[in-house]
Amino acid sequence: IGNVANFLLRSDTISRESPVGASPRDYFAGWGKVTKLHHWRPNVGAPVGFQWGMPDVPLRRTMEDIRFAADHGMMGIYVDYVREHWATQGPLYYLMAQLIWNPYADGEAILKDYYKRAFGPAAKKMEAYWNYMERIREECYGTEQPGRADHDVLDFYNKERLDKAYDLLNKAKAALGPENERHRQRIAFVEAGLDFTRLITECGRLVRLIQGYDDQDGQALVKLHANWEELRALRDNNPGAMRWRLFWGGHQAAGPPSTPRYAPTLWVESAPPAAADQSAADGVSLADMTISEEWELVFSDNFEREELGENWEVVDGVWAIVDGCLRGNGTVTSSKGFPGGFQRLEFEARTDVQAAALLSDQPAETGVSDISSFIHARSPAEGKPLRTGYFFQFGGSNNTLNRLRKAGMMLEEIRENTRLITQDKWHRVLIENDAGALRMFVDGELVLEHVERDAPLLGEGHDRVGFYGWTAYLVRNVNVYLKSIIESSDVE
């Protein structure tokens, strides 16, 4: 029962009305009538940048939600995705911990205690700062779509709003005397979070210009790299402020790739390519290549055997041969690479995940997600294949979208009027890099396309192909083709 409740609620939406009828509160109250022994595991999400590290602090909403949950049978909470972004979300973490220990405690008193002990004589000024951050968070969140911001997060944290926040911090610093150095350092710690918010959202706006080829004079790219270096310095000088490894992947990176879609997707869901990866990509120019006009079949597999065999390497999940098909979920890659040109991968796939009903009076629904594949990836020893090659998602995010990523950065995403996975249907899927034209066809229909002008993933080691599934599916009739590079001054 507790697991069912997880699907119905998110901590930032319990107090919102649903456009489809019953509100999340109705669901929660209903389960409270069924049992008094359930736990709540809210996936808090990132409606206004919570997971990315923005000042997404729904303080009063949190007080209300935890009290409501306790009133309706909840006996425990496990909050998912608390990222430890202390400089931008510290009061929220403190409030959550105290209220989860005692959901009937006075939330306002908890916050005042936090401000007083953390900031001393500047407590009231810092309370004004956090109340302001909560107010603009709620303005961005709005009331239209449960679980999603009603405004674009990158645009919402604009100069006008951030200048007001800096002004409040300056007033807090002015309230301190020379004897309050510890409190001054704590305000500086919070200011590092505001600096991060300013830089990372500006990066997002810059990369939109670059991705849309609107950076004619190259100044957006120059500024993007400058911001990147400021972020690096901010990280080095404030090691406890943010969970920096979300943005750097735990290693030193040469800098941001040239054309990511926007910063949060790039720097949270995957790390920027390492210096070696970036230089390998930047050293390739399509204009310098002489390319074969024909596709050559270089590998095929129909899986008519009992064992997986030496041609495939399981990265994660479970993959096996079942009734003449490759079946599994997780990631599996070819054991060998196919270097020397542009790649095309063709295959047939079908999901055989069985439908299940969460509640007895509801129709059966199947949580199918991803009949996805990739080309031009590195070996698992050199990095996660999904983050080192071209990753084509068919039916991703619970069969709601089709998406294309390059080395972890977003290139295309389509949610409306697109072909998705059909239960028990054999789909014919083709993904390709045709001399920079990246395409995915499903059942003969073009569902994704993106044209690269430069820097394709053709450097050394970008030569594996493979499959990914969040839920299990069957694969048969796999063919890999190569369009050879006959001559190039940039590719060895």
Side-chain angles (χ1 to χ4, degrees):
I1 290 174
N3 286 337
V4 173
N6 297 339
F7 293 107
L8 302 178
L9 294 169
R10 298 163 64 111
S11 66
D12 54 4
T13 62
I14 186 173
S15 56
R16 298 184 66 171
E17 292 301 318
S18 169
V20 297
S23 71
R25 277 178 173 260
D26 294 331
Y27 283 118
F28 202 89
W31 281 108
K33 296 176 182 178
V34 174
T35 177
K36 302 299 181 184
L37 300 174
H38 64 123
H39 287 68
W40 178 25
R41 180 184 176 274
N43 290 328
V44 294
V48 192
F50 182 80
Q51 292 182 34
W52 308 336
M54 306 302 163
D56 187 350
V57 285
L59 301 171
R60 273 73 192 178
R61 194 185 295 272
T62 297
M63 297 179 198
E64 182 182 352
D65 288 354
I66 292 178
R67 173 70 66 88
F68 183 89
D71 286 342
H72 292 83
M74 180 200 69
M75 62 175 294
I77 299 179
Y78 174 80
V79 181
D80 194 19
Y81 290 123
V82 175
R83 296 291 197 182
E84 299 185 41
H85 298 306
W86 294 99
T88 54
Q89 298 165 6
L92 179 63
Y93 297 161
Y94 187 82
L95 180 68
M96 290 168 62
Q98 296 288 336
L99 290 180
I100 289 171
W101 178 256
N102 178 9
Y104 296 103
D106 184 338
E108 297 292 347
I110 290 171
L111 287 176
K112 287 185 180 298
D113 174 66
Y114 176 89
Y115 301 136
K116 180 179 179 180
R117 292 199 289 143
F119 305 110
K124 289 186 177 180
K125 301 296 184 182
M126 290 303 293
E127 181 179 5
Y129 169 83
W130 286 111
N131 285 342
Y132 173 70
M133 301 313 291
E134 179 185 24
R135 178 168 66 80
I136 64 173
R137 183 267 181 201
E138 291 297 315
E139 290 175 3
C140 185
Y141 190 43
T143 59
E144 295 300 319
Q145 299 184 65
R148 294 190 180 184
D150 296 340
H151 304 276
D152 185 279
V153 174
L154 299 180
D155 291 333
F156 200 80
Y157 289 110
N158 59 21
K159 185 178 186 301
E160 179 182 358
R161 293 186 177 94
L162 293 178
D163 282 350
K164 172 65 174 177
Y166 279 114
D167 181 61
L168 290 170
L169 289 180
N170 287 334
K171 291 178 179 177
K173 287 185 283 187
L176 300 177
E179 71 279 8
N180 300 123
E181 181 58 28
R182 178 177 296 181
H183 301 119
R184 193 180 310 278
Q185 291 176 2
R186 289 173 179 167
I187 294 174
F189 184 83
V190 173
E191 189 169 23
L194 191 61
D195 290 340
F196 166 84
T197 302
R198 171 179 56 81
L199 290 165
I200 205 74
T201 52
E202 185 178 36
C203 282
R205 296 190 292 270
L206 290 168
V207 294
R208 283 176 174 169
L209 293 175
I210 299 166
Q211 184 66 34
Y213 301 109
D214 293 326
D215 183 26
Q216 301 300 322
D217 59 3
Q219 291 305 303
L221 182 58
V222 171
K223 179 60 176 172
L224 175 63
H225 281 263
N227 279 12
W228 179 268
E229 293 306 318
E230 285 192 59
L231 283 165
R232 191 191 307 281
L234 197 65
R235 175 199 59 179
D236 294 342
N237 295 327
N238 300 274
M242 311 289 295
R243 197 177 180 190
W244 298 106
R245 66 185 181 86
L246 287 175
F247 304 94
W248 275 270
H251 60 73
Q252 293 289 328
S258 301
T259 57
R261 173 57 63 95
Y262 64 99
T265 290
L266 173 63
W267 293 329
V268 172
E269 297 184 16
S270 65
D277 288 349
Q278 188 64 19
S279 62
D282 287 344
V284 179
S285 173
L286 294 172
D288 296 330
M289 297 180 187
T290 302
I291 304 166
S292 171
E293 295 183 359
E294 302 295 330
W295 289 101
E296 176 188 0
L297 179 65
V298 294
F299 175 78
S300 62
D301 197 341
N302 57 17
F303 304 106
E304 293 181 356
R305 56 184 182 274
E306 295 184 357
E307 301 294 334
L308 188 62
E310 63 182 11
N311 290 328
W312 301 97
E313 179 179 352
V314 176
V315 180
D316 51 58
V318 178
W319 294 87
I321 302 299
V322 177
D323 297 329
C325 296
L326 173 65
R327 184 185 189 276
N329 69 314
T331 310
V332 62
T333 181
S334 59
S335 297
K336 67 176 184 178
F338 305 100
F342 298 90
Q343 294 179 344
R344 169 188 284 177
L345 173 64
E346 295 180 348
F347 61 96
E348 296 177 348
R350 174 175 68 87
T351 179
D352 61 350
V353 175
Q354 297 302 306
L358 290 178
L359 302 176
S360 60
D361 60 346
Q362 291 184 346
E365 296 184 358
T366 303
V368 172
S369 186
D370 285 278
I371 292 180
S372 301
S373 51
F374 53 87
I375 54 178
H376 290 293
R378 289 187 175 276
S379 71
E382 298 175 287
K384 294 184 178 181
L386 304 187
R387 298 180 179 179
T388 60
Y390 295 106
F391 178 39
F392 292 81
Q393 278 189 276
F394 170 41
S397 294
N398 297 311
N399 202 25
T400 61
L401 57 82
N402 295 317
R403 179 187 286 159
L404 170 60
R405 295 181 185 274
K406 173 187 178 180
M409 61 183 179
M410 186 83 73
L411 295 182
E412 298 291 341
E413 180 179 293
I414 302 177
R415 292 178 178 267
E416 304 294 336
N417 301 317
T418 188
R419 184 179 291 271
L420 296 170
I421 300 169
T422 300
Q423 182 75 23
D424 293 321
K425 173 183 172 63
W426 280 104
H427 291 289
R428 293 178 292 109
V429 182
L430 182 155
I431 64 173
E432 65 180 8
N433 178 7
D434 187 358
L438 303 165
R439 306 185 186 98
M440 179 168 70
F441 296 85
V442 177
D443 300 325
E445 177 184 340
L446 179 64
V447 297
L448 277 178
E449 184 174 25
H450 181 89
V451 178
E452 287 196 305
R453 295 184 176 183
D454 214 358
L457 295 177
L458 292 173
E460 181 180 356
H462 285 286
D463 54 13
R464 300 287 187 100
V465 303
F467 304 99
Y468 169 80
W470 178 254
T471 53
Y473 63 96
L474 298 157
V475 181
R476 68 185 185 188
N477 297 331
V478 172
N479 292 305
V480 179
Y481 297 85
L482 207 64
K483 182 169 282 191
S484 300
I485 300 172
I486 300 173
E487 183 179 355
S488 173
S489 60
D490 293 321
V491 178
E492 296 181 359

